[in-house]
Amino acid sequence: MITNIEDLRVLAERRVPRMFYDYADSGSWSETTYRANVSDFNDLKFRQRVAINMENRSLKTTMAGQDAAMPVAIAPCGMTGMQRADGEILAARAAEQFGVPFTLSTMSIASIEDVAANTSKPFWFQLYVMKDRGFVNDLIDRAKAAKCSALVLTLDLQILGQRHKDLKNGLSAPPKLTLPNIVNMMTKPGWCMGMLGTRRRTFGNIVGHVKGVENMSSLSAWTAQQFDPALSWDDVQWIKDKWGGKLILKGIMDPEDAQLAMRSGADALIVSNHGGRQLDGAASSIAALPGVIEAVGDGIEVHMDGGVRSGQDVLRAVALGARGVYIGRPVLYGLGAMGGEGVSKCLELIHKELDITMALCGQTDIRKVGRQILLPRS
C-alpha cells in the first residue's frame, strides 16, 4: 500500500535502472545541501489548535496568475522521460487532471511540441540559456507557439555542479551500454519494455533543432560547451522582452539577488538551490526562504523548491511566505514507481497531508496561512 512519498521512492528504486534512479535521487559533491533541503523542514514545528471549526477547507490558490488546486507546481526535471517511457507526457497529463501547473525542462526527453500535442491546457516551460543565442531565440518562439503560459528561466546552471553518482554511472541519454548498466537494466523488464515501445529516447527539444546535432554523439559535443558562464541580468532583460509573457526566475538564494530579480520586472522568483545539485554547502531552500521574503516584501511573488516530500512541507513553506512550492523528486519517484498513476498518487498524497495538517493547525483557507501556524523557534 502506498501511503507516503517514501513508499513511491522505494518502489521506484526497484523499478528504474540504477543510473537513472541515481540521477533523480542524488546531489552534488558530498550531498550536504541535498540532505539539508529535506531535513531542515523538520526544524519548523506546528502549533496544534483545537475546538476550531475545520469545515469548508480550501487549498485553492494562484501561482504566477494561474489557478492551482493547491500551492504546488511540478518542477522542471531533466530526462524525466528516462524514469518512465514518455514520462514528461504522463506527468503533464496528471498535473492537468489534478489542476496544478506542470513545468517542462529544456533538457526533457519529450519535446515542447510533443507535450503540447498530448495535453489540452497550457503548461510552463523552463529555459536554460545556451551560448547559442539563436537556439535560445528559437526555443522561446517554440514555447510561444505551444501556448506555454509561463517561462521559467533557470539562473543557477551557468556551470554544471559535479555529481559523483552520475559520473560513476556514465549517465547519458540513451544510456551508455556498459556491462554493469546492461546487467542492471536486465533486472528492470518493465522499464525496458516501456523504452522499447516509445520513440522518445533522446533530448527532444535539441536533436533536430540545432544545426549539426542529429544524433547522440553530436548532441553530447554540443551540450558540453553550451551552458553560458557569462549569463547576466542583461540577458534576463533580453529574454523578458523576447518572451513577453509571465516570467519566473529560478535559482534565487541570496537577498541581494532577490532584489535584482524584483527589479528585473519578472512576475515571480523561485528560491532554489537546484535540488542540492549545484553548490554543495549552500543553505537549504527552506532556510534561505525567510531572507528572500524579507528582502522583497510584496514586490514580487515568491515560490520555492527543494526538499519538499510531504504536504506538511508545503504548509511550512507557505507559512514562511511562499505563494507555492515545486515538487521534482516526488514526481520522479511516482513516475518510476507507477507511471502516470504514480504522479497522480504523489499529488493526492501531498494534497491530503496538506489539507489535514492545515486543519489541525486551526486554518481553513490556504491563502490566509502565515507564521501564526508555526511555533517560535527556541
Side-chain angles (χ1 to χ4, degrees), residues 11-311:
L11 193 54
E13 188 174 16
R14 293 209 303 262
R15 294 181 174 178
V16 178
R18 171 57 53 184
M19 67 192 312
F20 297 119
Y21 173 79
D22 280 352
Y23 173 78
D25 198 42
S26 63
S28 64
W29 303 98
S30 59
E31 299 188 335
T32 57
T33 298
Y34 165 61
R35 291 190 296 271
N37 272 352
V38 177
S39 63
D40 283 359
F41 275 100
N42 296 326
D43 294 336
L44 299 167
K45 306 301 182 185
F46 295 113
R47 291 176 62 203
Q48 180 175 323
R49 303 298 306 279
V50 297
I52 294 174
N53 188 342
M54 299 176 181
E55 297 176 310
N56 303 317
R57 298 185 300 279
S58 174
L59 300 180
K60 293 181 180 179
T61 188
T62 60
M63 294 178 66
Q66 180 168 326
D67 290 338
M70 60 179 171
V72 172
I74 292 183
C77 298
M79 294 200 293
T80 294
M82 287 297 173
Q83 301 296 320
R84 175 67 65 110
D86 305 330
E88 290 91 0
I89 292 169
L90 297 177
R93 284 175 172 170
E96 180 178 298
Q97 184 175 16
F98 202 90
V100 297
F102 169 80
T103 317
L104 182 70
S105 171
T106 291
M107 305 305 291
S108 59
I109 302 302
S111 68
I112 304 172
E113 293 81 6
D114 244 352
V115 175
N118 285 278
T119 52
S120 60
K121 294 181 180 178
F123 54 92
W124 295 353
F125 181 68
Q126 175 268 334
L127 178 70
Y128 283 125
V129 180
M130 308 296 193
K131 292 179 181 177
D132 184 344
R133 291 298 196 267
F135 171 71
V136 173
N137 190 76
D138 290 344
L139 205 52
I140 295 173
D141 284 340
R142 290 168 60 198
K144 284 183 181 180
K147 294 181 169 45
C148 292
S149 51
L151 189 71
V152 178
L153 174 58
T154 294
L155 298 175
D156 62 353
L157 202 80
Q158 293 170 264
I159 296 173
L160 190 65
Q162 182 167 312
R163 302 152 192 175
H164 296 329
K165 290 177 183 175
D166 290 351
L167 291 173
K168 291 174 179 176
N169 287 329
L171 181 73
S172 63
K176 293 180 180 177
L177 295 181
T178 63
L179 182 58
N181 286 340
I182 292 172
V183 171
N184 183 254
M185 286 180 189
M186 289 174 65
T187 68
K188 320 292 181 184
W191 182 90
C192 291
M193 290 300 293
M195 294 308 297
L196 287 172
T198 182
R199 58 183 172 78
R200 303 176 182 97
R201 303 191 197 99
T202 186
F203 292 111
N205 288 324
I206 301 174
V207 172
H209 296 280
V210 176
K211 186 177 180 180
V213 176
E214 303 296 339
N215 54 48
M216 288 308 299
S217 176
S218 55
L219 172 64
S220 297
W222 185 81
T223 55
Q225 47 83 42
Q226 274 299 313
F227 290 104
D228 191 355
L231 175 66
S232 73
W233 289 101
D234 289 338
D235 295 305
V236 174
Q237 185 63 52
W238 170 71
I239 290 166
K240 180 179 182 297
D241 293 342
K242 168 69 180 175
W243 170 245
K246 294 284 186 180
L247 179 65
I248 304 170
L249 302 181
K250 182 175 183 288
I252 305 297
M253 289 287 290
D254 187 86
E256 186 175 346
D257 288 337
Q259 291 177 339
L260 291 169
M262 179 174 61
R263 290 198 288 269
S264 76
D267 297 278
L269 65 83
I270 307 174
V271 176
S272 172
N273 53 35
H274 216 95
R277 294 168 64 77
Q278 282 294 94
L279 177 59
D280 192 39
S284 67
S285 294
I286 195 66
L289 178 61
V292 169
I293 294 283
E294 183 179 359
V296 301
D298 296 327
I300 187 172
E301 189 171 307
V302 177
H303 306 166
M304 69 83 63
D305 80 0
V308 176
R309 298 292 184 273
S310 69

